[in-house]
Amino acid sequence: MSLSNLRPFLSLLLAATALAQSPQDNQPYTLKTQSNVVLVPTTVETKHGDILYTLKPEQFVVEDNGVPQTIHLDQDTDALGLSLVVVIQCSRSAIMEFAKFRGLLTMIDAVAGDAPREVAVVTYGSTPELLGDFSADPAAAAHALSQLEPCDDDPNAATLDAVAYATGLLEARQNHYRHAILLISETRDHGSEIKPAKVIAALGRTNTVVDSVAFGPGKTEILNDLHYGGGSGPFGLLIMAVNAIKKNAAHELASLSGGEYINFSTQKGFDNGLHQLSNHIHNYYLISFQPHAEANGAPAPGMHSIRVKIPDYPDAKIRSRESYFSGTLDTIPPEAQ
């Protein structure tokens, strides 16, 4: 299976309108021609940690709010291309990490793989700054990264604002490429003005996956506490997701969108983390489905939970997108924003 590129994208909470589809309406489509789908990038491993290859579409069960969906498994992800925004924090504790980023350009190339790609580079503290616009030329990304420097006196790390900015760049692209963000940051947001719910909806609307490589406070072992379980109803789930983003923005953005999360503290940890990220990205299944629609042709408004199961492998470790958002933000209660 040739599967590539940034934990294929398309993440968090899709605010797009979807067409109705019944199980018998299983017309073939590709991500190049179909925009009204929910994308579910999925990695499958055995209980011993070995990646499972060559699974067939009929072996997957994907549930949207507990309702099984008719799925499509895209076999040729490389042909879709990749639009990638590399978002790097330059403030606060990032200053201590800059020396570790020497091999970043090589790893960006490894993450992109053989697909057609375009890469933009953004840095941020209190506000995002575009160091290099989208380009297919590796020299352009190298030049942008050469301009990266610490913003010493900036007390903020407005991660959500930076991710929203990157999402806007992706939304403006006039192509059919997959959308991805590689976020290198602290675990927590400091100083963002945008509401988390708006970021969640925008990532979904633009079919963007966030892969996070995080440093600073927090250890990987505590992340299970941040998983939003226990919320119920369309906005209960959103409230739990918003609260989790406030605790660890880097982890939750990746988790909700189907992306990868790596936490590092040393040069070896950073290098190994990006290698792990690249390996997983090139061995995922890109599943998609068209949600069963309401009478008006759109999915039920609010947050939808996604669950992926493989009955043939009940002990498999499955990592996939967990949710998407449908509808408009003006219907969201204040506590969910």
Side-chain angles (χ1 to χ4, degrees):
M1 175 178 57
S2 172
L3 301 161
S4 59
N5 315 32
L6 262 189
R7 186 138 183 144
F9 319 114
L10 320 335
S11 232
L12 268 81
L13 331 154
L14 198 141
T17 301
L19 296 178
Q21 179 185 16
S22 63
Q24 59 265 41
D25 293 332
N26 190 22
Q27 297 299 319
Y29 60 84
T30 71
L31 300 181
K32 274 191 173 183
T33 60
Q34 200 74 30
S35 60
N36 56 345
V37 298
V38 176
L39 299 165
V40 190
T42 301
T43 300
V44 185
E45 297 178 348
T46 68
K47 62 181 178 181
H48 303 296
D50 300 318
I51 294 176
L52 278 172
Y53 304 97
T54 68
L55 292 174
K56 305 299 183 184
E58 58 270 20
Q59 292 180 276
F60 290 91
V61 175
V62 178
E63 296 176 345
D64 179 346
N65 284 347
V67 178
Q69 303 293 306
T70 301
I71 70 164
H72 176 81
L73 182 61
D74 208 294
Q75 301 287 354
D76 190 14
T77 54
D78 279 350
L80 297 172
L82 170 66
S83 293
L84 170 66
V85 184
V86 182
V87 179
I88 308 172
Q89 180 185 329
C90 64
S91 60
R92 294 172 54 89
S93 59
I95 297 168
M96 307 295 293
E97 312 296 337
F98 266 55
K100 300 184 178 73
F101 299 162
R102 291 188 298 269
L104 184 56
L105 183 63
T106 301
M107 292 310 302
I108 289 172
D109 189 62
V111 162
D114 296 329
R117 93 287 298 268
E118 55 179 10
V119 178
V121 179
V122 171
T123 187
Y124 75 96
S126 293
T127 57
E129 177 185 356
L130 182 64
L131 294 183
D133 206 348
F134 286 104
S135 175
D137 184 358
H143 177 69
L145 290 171
S146 71
Q147 301 178 67
L148 185 66
E149 58 185 23
C151 35
D152 299 330
D153 299 326
D154 195 331
N156 292 325
T159 300
L160 292 180
D161 287 349
V163 169
Y165 175 77
T167 305
L169 295 177
L170 290 166
E171 189 168 22
R173 303 310 296 158
Q174 300 296 315
N175 56 35
H176 294 290
Y177 285 7
R178 289 162 295 160
H179 291 171
I181 294 171
L182 175 59
L183 173 65
I184 302 175
S185 71
E186 290 183 40
T187 55
R188 294 200 179 197
D189 180 277
H190 297 272
S192 282
E193 297 183 0
I194 195 169
K195 297 291 186 182
K198 189 172 182 180
V199 179
I200 288 172
L203 285 168
R205 183 181 67 248
T206 58
N207 281 340
T208 301
V209 163
V210 178
D211 291 285
S212 298
V213 182
F215 53 82
K219 292 187 178 294
T220 306
E221 290 76 20
I222 69 171
L223 295 178
N224 288 336
D225 296 336
L226 303 179
H227 246 316
Y228 64 93
S232 61
F235 297 118
L237 288 173
L238 183 58
I239 291 170
M240 299 298 288
V242 166
N243 288 338
I245 281 178
K246 292 176 181 178
K247 294 179 181 179
N248 187 326
H251 174 264
E252 194 63 14
L253 289 171
S255 180
L256 289 170
S257 67
E260 196 80 32
Y261 174 83
I262 305 294
N263 187 272
F264 75 93
S265 58
T266 64
Q267 179 71 61
K268 183 178 180 180
F270 178 76
D271 294 341
N272 289 345
L274 284 178
H275 178 75
Q276 177 184 332
L277 173 64
S278 177
N279 182 54
H280 282 188
I281 281 167
H282 293 290
N283 292 286
Y284 70 88
Y285 296 88
L286 187 51
I287 300 169
S288 58
F289 67 91
Q290 295 174 301
H292 294 302
E294 301 275 277
N296 64 359
M303 193 83 143
H304 291 236
S305 64
I306 298 174
R307 185 181 182 190
V308 178
K309 297 184 290 186
I310 307 173
D312 292 343
Y313 295 90
D315 296 328
K317 295 187 290 185
I318 302 171
R319 184 192 301 271
S320 67
R321 180 177 176 181
E322 298 177 349
S323 57
Y324 71 97
F325 182 81
S326 176
T328 59
L329 290 173
D330 56 12
T331 64
I332 297 177
E335 63 270 21
Q337 302 184 44

